[in-house]
Amino acid sequence: MHAAWIVKHKPQTLSEVVGNAEAIQKFTEWARSWDKRIPKKRAAFLHGPPGVGKTVCVEALAKDLQMELVEKNASDYRTAEAVQRFAGLASQYGTLFGGSRLVLLDELDGITGTADKGGVGAITEIVKAAQCPVVLVANNAYDPRFSTLRKYCLLVEFKKPTVREVMKHLKKVCVGEEINADEEALKFIAEKSGRDVRSAVNDLQALAQGKKRFVYEDVAWLAERDRKDVIFNVLRTILYSKDSWEAKKAVDAADMDTDMLFQWVYENVPYHLTDPQDLAKAMDALSLADIYRRRIRSTQDWSLLRYVLDFMTAGVAMARERTKPSGWIPFRFPEKIQWMSRTKAEREMQSAIGMKIRRKCHVSSVRAVKEFLPYIRIIFENNPEMAAGIARWLDLDETMVNYLAGRKG
Ligand SMILES: Nc1ncnc2c1ncn2[C@@H]1O[C@H](COP(=O)(O)OP(=O)(O)O)[C@@H](O)[C@H]1O
Ligand SMILES: [Mg+2]
């Protein structure tokens, strides 16, 4: 079994925590002030987004100041009575062995149910009378439930660390794991985690564990996967929602290229609408969408786009009537998109040359590509002199000449 890296590489002292320097300083000063006298605010309330190091800072501070840490969390706050049961912990400064104590009440957002008022009330009472430092942690300190409690606390706001700071921690983890990691790869993970250190470390472990080298190519596919998830979600609503409105909304939200979405729907409909009548209806809707698509292309009248979208979303969604539910069917990547992107540059080049031929030979450019191009190519590959003459006559540019001669460029 491999240990979780968030545990294995957890900061052991405050100096190892990345980001939030100001918050950490404010928090440390408050904790140290207990050495002299009980401060006005007997509790510090650390708040901010998840995974940025709130809990780990309290733990590291206790280690740094050699305090005994008592941790409580959501499951301990179920009722006011449950809270009162550990209230005594905060009522004395010292421990039995003469050290000092720090009481951490973590994950306060987790107080739920009807008991929450009582629970928060009991915590407020603990704070008011605390004889040792009490630290509260929650994502949102401004939740109305905490409005009274908040008055007795020193608020310490934690923010998301910068990408650089998250990367710094990831680098340290990689050193510890003896992984030679590229900056770019770590940067990608830091950004993708939304600067949540916990999930960044988890992602890193999932992707890099067991590797000696960790490079950008190891993570780049994640960007692709996201995109695919979006498309799959849209397809799922189009092919499975009963609600045509929902299907339309899904497409709006996804902000996808219409032609591409059309290919996806077209490719997948037959596998998901297996009843022949349903399929026929869906295909009818798609053919109508296709008619409007073509009309837009020839007239550039983009107001027709909403008909295209309506037919290929709502039209397809409504076709599902008789198809019996079956198990999970994977979505297929449309062949046509792969093919088109692979050959797009080549097709453009061919039709450009076709236009040049048309001008001189008075044939259509399609015919020029089909019937003339293969011969011209043979000449270019075998007879440079004659090729040069043809190039001048047809007025071909350098890239066209290179293409015909089979050279890249
Ligand atoms: N700022 C940070 N520096 C280093 N490690 C961090 C940081 N924030 C989070 N981690 C890692 O993520 C784990 C969970 O962080 P935690 O302190 O529980 O976040 P929070 O309490 O803000 O949700 C930690 O144990 C640690 O491994
Ligand atoms: Mg936490």
Side-chain angles (χ1 to χ4, degrees):
M1 259 305 279
H2 295 291
W5 287 0
I6 49 163
V7 177
K8 191 173 166 193
H9 300 284
K10 189 198 245 193
Q12 296 302 312
T13 129
L14 280 175
S15 62
E16 287 174 355
V17 175
V18 296
N20 284 302
E22 268 176 51
I24 291 172
Q25 196 190 346
K26 185 174 174 188
F27 176 46
T28 314
E29 276 169 15
W30 168 83
R32 283 187 189 284
S33 76
W34 279 80
D35 276 347
K36 289 174 220 117
R37 67 186 77 82
I38 295 184
K40 237 174 97 196
K41 306 269 162 116
R42 301 184 184 202
F45 196 157
L46 314 190
H47 61 103
V52 300
K54 299 182 298 298
T55 305
V56 87
C57 273
V58 185
E59 293 171 348
L61 176 99
K63 279 202 194 101
D64 284 354
L65 302 185
Q66 292 174 328
M67 298 171 92
E68 180 208 24
L69 179 68
V70 184
E71 268 190 84
K72 298 283 165 195
N73 55 42
S75 58
D76 302 307
Y77 314 138
R78 285 211 190 93
T79 58
E81 291 80 63
V83 174
Q84 270 145 15
R85 231 168 283 147
F86 60 77
L89 279 171
S91 63
Q92 307 141 13
Y93 177 64
T95 63
L96 275 180
F97 308 103
S100 46
R101 175 183 286 153
L102 184 71
V103 174
L104 165 61
L105 306 184
D106 204 352
E107 297 167 19
L108 283 191
D109 321 79
I111 302 184
T112 52
T114 48
D116 65 356
K117 268 228 165 67
V120 177
I123 289 174
T124 309
E125 293 312 310
I126 294 179
V127 168
K128 281 205 251 177
Q131 298 297 309
C132 73
V134 174
V135 184
L136 312 175
V137 176
N139 293 138
N140 180 14
Y142 297 100
D143 187 307
R145 285 183 296 172
F146 303 139
S147 56
T148 308
L149 173 60
R150 220 169 34 228
K151 288 189 208 131
Y152 300 96
C153 302
L154 174 77
L155 288 176
V156 182
E157 184 186 4
F158 275 66
K159 298 187 179 124
K160 290 181 173 207
T162 62
V163 170
R164 290 252 133 232
E165 287 162 342
V166 178
M167 284 170 69
K168 188 177 154 204
H169 183 66
L170 295 179
K171 269 183 215 164
K172 217 188 85 202
V173 172
C174 286
V175 170
E177 293 292 329
E178 298 182 350
I179 295 167
N180 178 354
D182 272 6
E183 289 258 318
E184 281 295 289
L186 299 183
K187 185 167 177 218
F188 186 91
I189 291 182
E191 280 167 353
K192 225 183 113 47
S193 69
R195 287 139 62 209
D196 172 332
V197 185
R198 180 197 285 120
S199 55
V201 173
N202 282 334
D203 285 353
L204 179 68
Q205 180 168 17
L207 293 163
Q209 187 157 39
K211 291 202 164 86
K212 290 261 160 293
R213 281 276 294 141
F214 182 55
V215 296
Y216 186 69
E217 282 67 40
D218 293 322
V219 295
W221 63 274
L222 279 173
E224 263 302 299
R225 191 188 62 173
D226 262 19
R227 197 59 205 154
K228 226 153 78 188
D229 286 348
V230 171
I231 295 169
F232 284 6
N233 277 333
V234 172
L235 273 185
R236 205 168 291 125
T237 19
I238 292 177
L239 293 170
Y240 289 97
S241 81
K242 300 232 158 46
D243 182 346
S244 56
W245 181 246
E246 202 181 305
K248 272 161 58 171
K249 261 194 339 218
V251 174
D252 280 349
D255 185 27
M256 276 173 73
D257 176 69
T258 329
D259 283 346
M260 181 163 89
L261 181 61
F262 183 90
Q263 298 299 341
W264 275 94
V265 178
Y266 178 72
E267 179 82 19
N268 282 285
V269 155
Y271 302 96
H272 296 263
L273 293 178
T274 43
D275 176 88
Q277 291 194 26
D278 287 4
L279 179 56
K281 262 187 259 157
M283 285 305 195
D284 268 350
L286 282 178
S287 72
L288 285 168
D290 195 36
I291 289 171
Y292 281 107
R293 227 158 52 106
R294 276 161 209 278
R295 205 167 287 167
I296 292 174
R297 216 169 298 153
S298 59
T299 61
Q300 292 297 307
D301 178 0
W302 288 90
S303 67
L304 299 173
L305 187 61
R306 63 200 160 101
Y307 299 115
V308 178
L309 288 170
D310 282 0
F311 283 121
M312 67 195 230
T313 56
V316 173
M318 285 191 308
R320 173 180 288 275
E321 268 181 300
R322 297 154 182 258
T323 297
K324 296 203 176 53
S326 54
W328 180 74
I329 306 159
F331 289 125
R332 302 165 66 98
F333 197 102
E335 290 297 321
K336 194 153 177 222
I337 292 182
Q338 288 175 324
W339 179 79
M340 284 198 309
S341 58
R342 210 166 26 218
T343 60
K344 185 162 180 269
E346 176 157 24
R347 278 180 290 126
E348 277 171 6
M349 175 61 82
Q350 286 181 351
S351 73
I353 297 173
M355 300 290 275
K356 298 273 187 189
I357 300 172
R358 184 179 86 164
R359 205 167 296 148
K360 288 288 176 190
C361 303
H362 310 287
V363 295
S364 80
S365 62
V366 175
R367 201 172 145 209
V369 171
K370 241 176 37 208
E371 295 174 10
F372 289 45
L373 209 60
Y375 296 105
I376 295 180
R377 199 177 248 148
I378 293 172
I379 296 170
F380 269 71
E381 280 166 9
N382 295 290
N383 189 337
E385 220 171 306
M386 197 170 168
I390 292 174
R392 259 195 313 275
W393 182 60
L394 286 178
D395 186 29
L396 302 179
D397 66 24
E398 202 182 320
T399 55
M400 292 170 176
V401 171
N402 285 338
Y403 169 74
L404 288 169
R407 288 189 294 260
K408 286 232 173 321

mmCIF file of all heavy atoms in Angstrom, residues 82-92 122 126:
data_model
loop_
_atom_site.group_PDB
_atom_site.id
_atom_site.type_symbol
_atom_site.label_atom_id
_atom_site.label_comp_id
_atom_site.label_asym_id
_atom_site.label_seq_id
_atom_site.Cartn_x
_atom_site.Cartn_y
_atom_site.Cartn_z
ATOM 1 N N ALA A 82 -23.163 17.320 23.448
ATOM 2 C CA ALA A 82 -21.913 16.734 22.950
ATOM 3 C C ALA A 82 -20.781 17.761 23.039
ATOM 4 O O ALA A 82 -19.654 17.429 23.406
ATOM 5 C CB ALA A 82 -22.081 16.252 21.510
ATOM 6 N N VAL A 83 -21.093 18.999 22.725
ATOM 7 C CA VAL A 83 -20.076 20.050 22.794
ATOM 8 C C VAL A 83 -19.671 20.279 24.252
ATOM 9 O O VAL A 83 -18.480 20.389 24.579
ATOM 10 C CB VAL A 83 -20.590 21.370 22.171
ATOM 11 C CG1 VAL A 83 -19.581 22.492 22.375
ATOM 12 C CG2 VAL A 83 -20.868 21.174 20.681
ATOM 13 N N GLN A 84 -20.680 20.340 25.128
ATOM 14 C CA GLN A 84 -20.379 20.597 26.535
ATOM 15 C C GLN A 84 -19.475 19.531 27.140
ATOM 16 O O GLN A 84 -18.707 19.805 28.054
ATOM 17 C CB GLN A 84 -21.679 20.707 27.338
ATOM 18 C CG GLN A 84 -22.191 22.143 27.377
ATOM 19 C CD GLN A 84 -23.710 22.207 27.354
ATOM 20 O OE1 GLN A 84 -24.385 21.196 27.594
ATOM 21 N NE2 GLN A 84 -24.238 23.384 27.069
ATOM 22 N N ARG A 85 -19.570 18.332 26.578
ATOM 23 C CA ARG A 85 -18.779 17.235 27.120
ATOM 24 C C ARG A 85 -17.276 17.523 27.052
ATOM 25 O O ARG A 85 -16.513 17.083 27.900
ATOM 26 C CB ARG A 85 -19.106 15.937 26.379
ATOM 27 C CG ARG A 85 -19.445 14.803 27.316
ATOM 28 C CD ARG A 85 -20.034 13.619 26.583
ATOM 29 N NE ARG A 85 -21.422 13.812 26.221
ATOM 30 C CZ ARG A 85 -22.004 13.327 25.127
ATOM 31 N NH1 ARG A 85 -21.295 12.631 24.252
ATOM 32 N NH2 ARG A 85 -23.273 13.528 24.889
ATOM 33 N N PHE A 86 -16.841 18.246 26.020
ATOM 34 C CA PHE A 86 -15.399 18.528 25.981
ATOM 35 C C PHE A 86 -15.072 19.966 26.391
ATOM 36 O O PHE A 86 -13.942 20.415 26.299
ATOM 37 C CB PHE A 86 -14.796 18.188 24.609
ATOM 38 C CG PHE A 86 -15.380 18.951 23.441
ATOM 39 C CD1 PHE A 86 -15.013 20.262 23.206
ATOM 40 C CD2 PHE A 86 -16.275 18.333 22.577
ATOM 41 C CE1 PHE A 86 -15.522 20.948 22.120
ATOM 42 C CE2 PHE A 86 -16.796 19.022 21.496
ATOM 43 C CZ PHE A 86 -16.428 20.329 21.266
ATOM 44 N N ALA A 87 -16.094 20.689 26.879
ATOM 45 C CA ALA A 87 -15.875 22.088 27.261
ATOM 46 C C ALA A 87 -14.782 22.222 28.308
ATOM 47 O O ALA A 87 -13.976 23.165 28.275
ATOM 48 C CB ALA A 87 -17.173 22.696 27.773
ATOM 49 N N GLY A 88 -14.704 21.258 29.188
ATOM 50 C CA GLY A 88 -13.732 21.294 30.273
ATOM 51 C C GLY A 88 -12.296 21.393 29.793
ATOM 52 O O GLY A 88 -11.438 21.980 30.451
ATOM 53 N N LEU A 89 -12.041 20.862 28.598
ATOM 54 C CA LEU A 89 -10.691 20.869 28.048
ATOM 55 C C LEU A 89 -10.113 22.268 27.933
ATOM 56 O O LEU A 89 -8.914 22.478 28.095
ATOM 57 C CB LEU A 89 -10.732 20.285 26.624
ATOM 58 C CG LEU A 89 -10.739 18.775 26.496
ATOM 59 C CD1 LEU A 89 -10.993 18.407 25.053
ATOM 60 C CD2 LEU A 89 -9.396 18.244 26.970
ATOM 61 N N ALA A 90 -11.005 23.208 27.619
ATOM 62 C CA ALA A 90 -10.526 24.567 27.383
ATOM 63 C C ALA A 90 -10.568 25.408 28.648
ATOM 64 O O ALA A 90 -10.220 26.577 28.643
ATOM 65 C CB ALA A 90 -11.372 25.230 26.295
ATOM 66 N N SER A 91 -11.010 24.792 29.745
ATOM 67 C CA SER A 91 -11.196 25.597 30.952
ATOM 68 C C SER A 91 -9.945 25.680 31.817
ATOM 69 O O SER A 91 -9.933 26.352 32.830
ATOM 70 C CB SER A 91 -12.365 25.042 31.774
ATOM 71 O OG SER A 91 -12.047 23.739 32.191
ATOM 72 N N GLN A 92 -8.888 24.950 31.405
ATOM 73 C CA GLN A 92 -7.624 25.108 32.140
ATOM 74 C C GLN A 92 -6.524 25.454 31.162
ATOM 75 O O GLN A 92 -6.547 25.004 30.024
ATOM 76 C CB GLN A 92 -7.220 23.784 32.822
ATOM 77 C CG GLN A 92 -8.273 23.160 33.679
ATOM 78 C CD GLN A 92 -8.254 21.647 33.519
ATOM 79 O OE1 GLN A 92 -7.321 21.071 32.970
ATOM 80 N NE2 GLN A 92 -9.308 21.003 34.004
ATOM 81 N N ALA A 122 -23.076 26.568 22.426
ATOM 82 C CA ALA A 122 -22.199 25.939 23.403
ATOM 83 C C ALA A 122 -20.740 26.251 23.100
ATOM 84 O O ALA A 122 -19.937 26.473 24.012
ATOM 85 C CB ALA A 122 -22.434 24.422 23.411
ATOM 86 N N ILE A 126 -17.830 28.204 25.409
ATOM 87 C CA ILE A 126 -16.461 27.710 25.632
ATOM 88 C C ILE A 126 -15.457 28.824 25.363
ATOM 89 O O ILE A 126 -14.543 29.077 26.153
ATOM 90 C CB ILE A 126 -16.149 26.502 24.714
ATOM 91 C CG1 ILE A 126 -17.017 25.301 25.096
ATOM 92 C CG2 ILE A 126 -14.664 26.141 24.786
ATOM 93 C CD1 ILE A 126 -16.793 24.079 24.224
#
